Amino acid sequence: MRTYEVRTYGCQMNVHDSERLRGLLEDAGYVRAPEGDQADVVVFNTCAVRENADNKLYGNLGHLAPVKAKKPGMQIAVGGCLAQKDKATITKKAPWVDVVFGTHNIGSLPVLLERARIAEESQVEILESLDVFPSTLPTRRESPYSAWVSVSVGCNNTCTFCIVPALRGREKDRRPGDVLAEVEALVAEGVLEVTLLGQNVNSYGVEFGDRYAFSKLLRACGQIDGLERVRFTSPHPRDFTADVIEAMAQTPNVMPSLHMPLQSGSDQILKTMRRSYRRDRYLKIISDVRAAMPDAAITTDIIVGFPGETEEDFQGTLDVVRQARFAGAFTFQYSKRPGTPAESMDNQVPREVVQERYERLVALQDEMAWTENKALVGRSLEVLVAEGEGRKDATTHRLSGRARDNRLVHFALPEGVERPRPGDMATVEVTYGAPHHLVADVFGSVRRTRAGDAWERAQETPASAAPGVMLGLPTIGQPAPLAPVTGGCQVN
């Protein structure tokens, strides 16, 4: 049996697409390569948003060239946003690549691999529009207790810094019944947390003409027995309406957490970015959310150094950060993206100025988040125990998971207490607040769940097929360099 490995770069949409790719390969008879073994098929699911994404891809492909030369029958495939953008350029720069496929035809991967094997030449297939909605494809999910569920793909916005709409296409919405059927099927398998996913999730319904479709969908999720947590990402401030806030506040299993991209606190820069809201509108949304859900944790995306940004513009961003009191932020230094209107704009900000502003922003955001987290000391939280969330758990002898508001919590387990499984719920008391996480060394209780049962069953599968990645929101803070299974890339 041929083995496979999927290497994922970029946003949550890519992580979810990789689940589809794994499902397609396993449906075609491939098995996941055991950790440490060289796979027969290596698939790169790429991102075109991060800086130097192409250099990193070709560097990784270069490392695999001699490996492939020594391993007869090995195949390499490249998909995702960078493949959609560069098309046949990939096989010209790296002729040892067997398959190139785009964002609109991930379902073609097994057939393209077979064609390449039989023809003994590279296969490049890039469609300009979606052929099959990805959610109809087989799926190999990475978590038995927490799952992504796509409500739409593509984006109708025209932000000047973003190339994603050109690569993902215009928004395509799933019918509500199809979304709810997938959620119900996941819950029946043991999943207790779902994240509704879209490039602009709260414009859901635009394709079938229902402006209240997203709030209706949230309320419908509240009627699904056994579904304990519902999240969504990422909304756009332009489309964020009062009915969504009401649905969040009135639906018990919709979590008090919100990721709301800001990008800039300057009205002039927002206009140049072609963002269809202004700072007062943004702050009004934050105020309305907190009025309805006082304990809501709000996170955001911010770009520093967009073309034309002055010190006054930047001070506007810092002012919004102070007023909004974000629980966390993905902060990015602007860099040119080929194919975007911002690439050719005048008044590009010098790199050293961008770096200096970036450092000031990160310092302020860390200060605000730390203040917010310290205020939670003494609070009792229910934590969904997770796998892979705490990188230092082995040395600190703690477990990790996410609170209802999606804050990362590391907690101690007293001697003699049965160890909770990933997917179980632990009630703990916060003893320390750090900028990017909480520590809870006062333990309350454990509630065993069907999700924990599902995780336990998953451990009985062969090691080559065992779950590997926790599908929670990415780590808050300074973005890591582009690397497999990252997730800080937001586009809204």
Side-chain angles (χ1 to χ4, degrees), residues 396-416:
T396 60
H397 305 290
R398 291 188 176 101
L399 301 177
S400 298
R402 296 277 173 175
R404 286 171 53 83
D405 63 9
N406 207 46
R407 282 183 168 92
L408 178 61
V409 183
H410 305 299
F411 64 94
L413 191 68
E415 290 186 15

Side-chain angles (χ1 to χ4, degrees), residues 4 6 8 12-28 30 32 43 45 101-103 105-110 130 132-142 147-153 168 174 178-179 181-183 185-186 189 195 197 471:
Y4 76 87
V6 178
T8 309
Q12 299 99 321
M13 191 69 75
N14 270 19
V15 174
H16 190 36
D17 282 350
S18 288
E19 292 183 320
R20 306 293 178 191
L21 294 172
R22 294 186 186 98
L24 285 160
L25 291 169
E26 293 189 9
D27 198 50
Y30 295 82
R32 196 170 192 164
V43 182
N45 189 10
F101 62 101
T103 58
N105 62 318
I106 63 175
S108 302
L109 176 60
L130 200 66
V132 176
F133 201 96
S135 294
T136 64
L137 301 173
T139 306
R140 172 68 171 84
R141 295 188 182 270
E142 290 296 276
W148 303 112
V149 175
S150 288
V151 303
S152 64
V153 295
R168 291 278 181 177
R174 296 176 71 188
D178 294 339
V179 176
E182 182 178 354
V183 174
L186 289 165
E189 294 172 1
T195 299
L197 186 63
L471 292 185

